[in-house]
Amino acid sequence: PTANFYKMGCKKQKESGACADKQCLYPSVCPAFKPDHSKYLSLLRKLRELPKVKKVFIRSGLRFDCILADKKHGNEFLNELCAHHVSGQLKVAPEHISDNVLKYMGKPGESVYNEFCQKYKKTNERLGKEQYLVPYLISGHPGSDLKEAVKLAEYLHKHHINPEQVQEFYPTPGTLSTCMFYTEMDPRTMKPVY
């Protein structure tokens, strides 16, 4: 489901399979994981050169934190993404803006999302394009009390974001979030979760 993980991995994964904690990017980039968009860029360039292909659009499925973590090709990828592969709107998933809720989701904090938003905006301005980010948001995730919900609402108001859709958290078997929902505890720390 993450488009820009195309052909990415790490030596540990190739030798031993998937890691038990599966946290390549959270709380920081795993030293064994080397974000590299070069193969994905190559694929997109090949697709653009196919006869009769007018456009190749990416609507969603990009981990913005992975783009920022790719120090070698991240800026080049973002530039080509904005120049050739966005049809006016790009959907990304900050999920929330409360660092407390994001911690339970295993997602980067608000500052990482804000950094990506600024880079996306500046890249489009430099290219002379009017393109927007549409955030995917989740309400009711474990850890999201009324204070966190108000914080999200204030963020949306401050940034003039009026989402047409917000996903309500729905317990899905086998996920860490569902475990927190049912047990009201974070199994990683054994501490209570709202």
Side-chain angles (χ1 to χ4, degrees):
T2 301
N4 59 323
F5 273 18
Y6 176 75
K7 299 276 185 173
M8 280 193 211
C10 69
K11 289 180 184 175
K12 284 173 57 177
Q13 184 181 27
K14 288 177 184 171
E15 295 166 5
S16 309
C19 294
D21 63 5
K22 297 178 184 155
Q23 297 290 319
C24 301
L25 295 168
Y26 181 83
S28 59
V29 179
C30 173
F33 181 72
K34 305 290 184 213
D36 181 356
H37 287 80
S38 62
K39 290 184 176 123
Y40 191 34
L41 271 169
S42 177
L43 174 66
L44 291 172
R45 288 170 183 156
K46 287 176 186 173
L47 291 171
R48 290 197 311 258
E49 292 174 8
L50 288 172
K52 299 185 182 182
V53 171
K54 294 179 183 178
K55 291 284 185 182
V56 176
F57 292 126
I58 301 168
R59 293 187 174 272
S60 65
L62 298 177
R63 283 290 299 252
F64 58 86
D65 50 342
C66 186
I67 295 170
L68 295 176
D70 183 352
K71 302 303 180 197
K72 191 170 182 184
H73 300 284
N75 288 336
E76 180 184 11
F77 175 76
L78 184 58
N79 187 66
E80 288 200 28
L81 173 73
C82 293
H84 303 290
H85 301 289
V86 177
S87 65
Q89 294 183 341
L90 177 66
K91 295 179 180 181
V92 293
E95 311 285 11
H96 212 283
I97 56 85
S98 162
D99 287 352
N100 185 54
V101 177
L102 292 166
K103 158 185 82 174
Y104 293 121
M105 293 179 174
K107 297 280 282 189
E110 175 190 351
S111 63
V112 177
Y113 178 63
N114 288 338
E115 180 184 351
F116 179 76
C117 289
Q118 286 303 311
K119 277 191 146 187
Y120 182 82
K121 181 180 178 189
K122 287 179 183 176
T123 301
N124 280 298
E125 286 172 354
R126 189 174 35 73
L127 293 169
K129 296 205 171 238
E130 187 174 337
Q131 299 183 129
Y132 303 94
L133 282 176
V134 177
Y136 281 121
L137 301 167
I138 292 181
S139 63
H141 188 276
S144 183
D145 57 16
L146 184 57
K147 182 181 110 198
E148 307 302 332
V150 168
K151 185 174 183 177
L152 177 58
E154 289 172 343
Y155 180 91
L156 295 173
H157 180 74
K158 177 183 174 185
H159 294 278
H160 309 288
I161 300 170
N162 188 15
E164 292 181 14
Q165 296 177 333
V166 174
Q167 179 181 339
E168 174 66 20
F169 171 74
Y170 188 84
T172 306
T175 65
L176 187 62
S177 296
T178 297
C179 180
M180 286 185 241
F181 177 78
Y182 281 105
T183 64
E184 296 182 16
M185 291 175 61
D186 183 341
R188 299 167 296 186
T189 63
M190 300 309 286
K191 292 185 178 175
V193 178
Y194 176 81

